[in-house]
Amino acid sequence: MANSYDVIVIGAGPAGYVAAIRCAQLGMTTALIDEFRYKDGKPQPGGTCLNVGCIPSKALLDSSEHYHKAREELQVHGITAKDVSIDVKKMIERKDKVVRDLTGGIHQLLKANKIDFKTGHGKLTSNSTVEFTPHEGAAEELKGEYIILATGSKPIDISAAPADEKSILTSNGALDMEEVPKRLGVIGAGVIGLEMGSVWNRLGSKVVLLEAQDEFLAPVDRQVSRMAQKAFKDQGLDIRLGCRVTDTKVGKQVSVHYEDKDGKHNMQVDKLIVSVGRRPNTDGLAADDVDLLLDERGFVHVDDECRTNLPNVYAVGDVVRGPMLAHKGSEEGVMVAELIAGHPGHINYDTIPWVIYTHPEIAWVGRTETQLKSAGIPYKSGTFNFAATGRARAMEESVGMVKVISHAETDRILGVHMVGASASELIAEAVVAMEFAGSAEDLARIIHAHPTLSEAVHEAALSVSKRAIHKAN
Amino acid sequence: LAELPPAARRLVEENDLDPKQIPGTGRDGRITKEDVVRFMKGETQP
């Protein structure tokens, strides 16, 4: 039967498409429903991450970084590049091609795994039926032994600055600006705000970030966030903390009214990006008579193994509790597929790495000193600066540090925090060590290639027991 | 002994411990440094 499946997955983002592929690998007949349409109107799998998130933002971060390097950073190597210019339209086109190629790849994978990819809206009508409404044509009912909800998240809009995607943009629109705004305002100095602010700052915008919180990057280790904040300031990012946006007026420019502890202010920008957070996408997810339980913040309520309150219905990714990260959603997708197939499934939520792809990059896993202090857990820590590693100096990338935190008595690693070039890659070693319940001494006794940036991780681990070689402990 | 993670290996060697006596709580029953530290303190439960 073409309308009856072992598993129906709603949402083809990193959580949903991975769940679907894993289900198919485990021998289940699988349908994958997704309603996203790219700006050319074509349906594309991949969800937020591939289409308007992780991948396009990294594409622009890399392009803008090359431009910035060519203009500002090559001279020190004795390289003179004359008349370096940027064609923003071409930069955006390259980004679009990267997105198209990768979503095309997902398409192929779905086909290869014999997954029935259906483009349109999926609505839960019972714990074993989904109403599928294609973009064109009539709705049909699909039956599924199991159903996985992976409908993701969308940008939070604020009434003081309603997005029109022309002057006031969400993160989606910020990825498609075709010229460099002279002045760019960003509301929210979190991951998305900092990444988008960095892109346009490198291309020449005067960027001001207005952050409501008094603390910069509150979830990040203090030492790391302070080093990052200074680096961003040196790059020209104007980060203003404790600022609450009260109103905006769109004319030729955008007039942004905000308040901080010193009173009321107003600034004029050419474009304004609103990146204050994302919320779970549960709009039209379940029919009115389906009693799908949401939690108090609007997420689909699930247990530790991503089961909803409805039998045989699971939910994964941004639509459920936990960090809104692609790799978190994908792992939940895999876990659920394996649970459905009767295998044990488990996720270690304590070892999910976080990355901010600014320059320098910020990455961390596990807990910060602040969190450990408030939990009353005794710890020790060690740090090491990139400035003291040969490779970082050779690369002219000496801004950065690594901090390793371990339990005061057992030495088990509790958190690793870093800022610096390639932190996004360096964090993987810490994740592996933590997954194997490793100690700081384990990291310290593992051989690290020389010269590499990973030596900063090694030395930070050594520094926990005051044995770092290349610093006075 | 080579199968122990480096820090557990060091502790076992320094203290002349028998790894077979130490309950491992790590992945697939591996002995972590934490396990050795707790074993030496007389705590058997992780």
Side-chain angles (χ1 to χ4, degrees):
Chain A
M1 286 274 281
N3 62 351
S4 178
Y5 303 88
D6 292 330
V7 183
I8 300 172
V9 183
I10 305 180
Y17 87 74
V18 169
I21 290 177
R22 189 69 191 117
C23 285
Q25 286 175 346
L26 289 161
M28 296 181 271
T29 56
T30 308
L32 176 62
I33 300 173
D34 190 82
E35 67 179 332
F36 181 85
R37 283 197 268 196
Y38 202 54
K39 55 188 179 182
D40 59 8
K42 284 192 190 136
Q44 279 187 179
T48 296
C49 169
L50 263 85
N51 289 293
V52 289
C54 321
I55 299 299
S57 61
K58 263 78 272 175
L60 297 185
L61 278 157
D62 280 323
S63 297
S64 60
E65 178 69 13
H66 286 311
Y67 173 69
H68 180 77
K69 271 215 165 88
R71 277 181 71 100
E72 313 280 345
E73 293 172 23
L74 291 181
Q75 293 86 332
V76 69
H77 298 275
I79 302 169
T80 312
K82 284 202 177 104
D83 304 325
V84 178
S85 63
I86 179 87
D87 181 342
V88 177
K89 200 160 174 288
K90 200 165 174 182
M91 182 184 81
I92 299 289
E93 281 167 8
R94 185 197 80 101
K95 179 264 295 178
D96 290 344
K97 184 174 183 322
V98 171
V99 168
R100 265 200 313 276
D101 288 352
L102 288 171
T103 53
I106 304 294
H107 244 300
Q108 294 303 318
L109 289 172
L110 298 177
K111 224 180 251 170
N113 283 285
K114 300 190 170 51
I115 291 161
D116 202 349
F117 182 48
K118 298 171 115 44
T119 57
H121 183 74
K123 180 193 260 183
L124 198 65
T125 46
S126 79
N127 72 329
S128 61
T129 54
V130 170
E131 181 190 78
F132 167 64
T133 312
H135 288 308
E136 277 142 40
E140 59 173 321
E141 184 177 82
L142 308 177
K143 286 188 195 318
E145 190 86 20
Y146 292 90
I147 296 167
I148 302 174
L149 309 173
T151 48
S153 61
K154 56 178 158 192
I156 292 176
D157 32 41
I158 52 174
S159 56
D164 58 12
E165 299 295 9
K166 288 188 187 84
S167 303
I168 302 180
L169 314 166
T170 65
S171 56
N172 298 13
L175 294 165
D176 280 329
M177 282 198 273
E178 294 217 330
E179 54 192 87
V180 182
K182 272 211 182 84
R183 288 179 62 90
L184 174 66
V186 181
I187 308 179
V191 177
I192 298 172
L194 285 169
E195 291 186 359
M196 286 300 97
S198 292
V199 166
W200 298 102
N201 176 55
R202 290 168 191 166
L203 300 179
S205 289
K206 177 83 198 91
V207 179
V208 180
L209 294 103
L210 302 175
E211 169 58 49
Q213 283 184 283
D214 293 321
E215 203 173 355
F216 178 63
L217 286 177
V220 176
D221 173 85
R222 289 296 80 214
Q223 255 176 301
V224 164
S225 65
R226 243 177 270 141
M227 188 177 269
Q229 190 175 7
K230 185 182 177 303
F232 298 149
K233 192 181 172 203
D234 291 346
Q235 290 164 18
L237 284 177
D238 183 350
I239 301 168
R240 301 180 191 172
L241 301 172
C243 295
R244 205 170 57 84
V245 174
T246 51
D247 194 20
T248 49
K249 292 227 164 31
V250 178
K252 264 191 181 156
Q253 288 185 311
V254 185
S255 174
V256 184
H257 299 266
Y258 66 96
E259 294 174 9
D260 63 10
K261 61 180 184 345
D262 300 323
K264 295 181 175 178
H265 308 272
N266 177 304
M267 74 171 180
Q268 303 292 320
V269 293
D270 300 297
K271 300 270 186 189
L272 180 67
I273 297 172
V274 180
S275 53
V276 295
R278 298 181 62 84
R279 62 185 175 91
N281 188 10
T282 51
D283 305 347
L285 173 58
D288 292 342
D289 59 342
V290 174
D291 195 20
L292 178 70
L293 186 64
L294 303 186
D295 70 17
E296 67 280 1
R297 292 163 61 214
F299 292 90
V300 175
H301 177 81
V302 289
D303 68 8
D304 287 347
E305 294 182 323
C306 291
R307 284 184 194 85
T308 69
N309 64 314
L310 304 175
N312 295 359
V313 178
Y314 291 79
V316 294
D318 285 3
V319 80
V320 304
R321 83 281 174 273
M324 287 183 164
L325 298 168
H327 42 281
K328 175 264 192 185
S330 296
E331 281 309 305
E332 286 179 333
V334 169
M335 170 177 74
V336 164
E338 295 186 347
L339 288 170
I340 289 174
H343 300 294
H346 176 75
I347 290 187
N348 188 354
Y349 286 97
D350 296 330
T351 54
I352 299 174
W354 291 73
V355 177
I356 306 175
Y357 294 83
T358 43
H359 191 95
E361 293 180 339
I362 300 166
W364 72 98
V365 58
R367 293 195 265 184
T368 61
E369 288 192 50
T370 313
Q371 289 167 337
L372 291 167
K373 260 182 207 141
S374 60
I377 297 169
Y379 67 88
K380 49 192 176 173
S381 73
T383 60
F384 197 79
N385 285 336
F386 272 33
T389 73
R391 188 68 211 276
R393 294 297 288 272
M395 292 166 71
E396 203 65 44
E397 293 282 5
S398 48
V399 173
M401 64 167 291
V402 177
K403 177 189 277 188
V404 173
I405 306 172
S406 71
H407 194 281
E409 283 138 35
T410 67
D411 194 32
R412 182 168 176 163
I413 302 167
L414 301 172
V416 177
H417 308 269
M418 49 180 82
V419 52
S422 300
S424 58
E425 305 290 341
L426 293 175
I427 198 67
E429 169 181 22
V431 178
V432 172
M434 286 181 72
E435 270 294 293
F436 284 85
S439 60
E441 187 187 343
D442 286 323
L443 275 184
R445 287 184 180 274
I446 289 171
I447 303 171
H448 289 69
H450 175 73
T452 61
L453 295 176
S454 73
E455 287 175 291
V457 181
H458 187 217
E459 291 270 16
L462 280 162
S463 154
V464 171
S465 51
K466 310 229 179 302
R467 309 196 286 122
I469 302 296
H470 295 93
K471 76 180 241 193
N473 289 284
Chain B
L1 223 53
E3 285 184 13
L4 292 179
R9 189 160 65 223
R10 196 263 307 169
L11 272 176
V12 163
E13 284 179 340
E14 279 185 5
N15 297 283
D16 253 336
L17 304 174
D18 176 6
K20 288 193 193 72
Q21 304 293 315
I22 306 170
T25 63
R27 290 215 153 192
D28 303 324
R30 285 181 181 84
I31 298 169
T32 67
K33 178 178 182 182
E34 181 171 350
D35 294 331
V36 184
V37 170
R38 290 186 186 280
F39 178 79
M40 286 169 52
K41 280 189 180 169
E43 303 170 21
T44 43
Q45 289 302 313

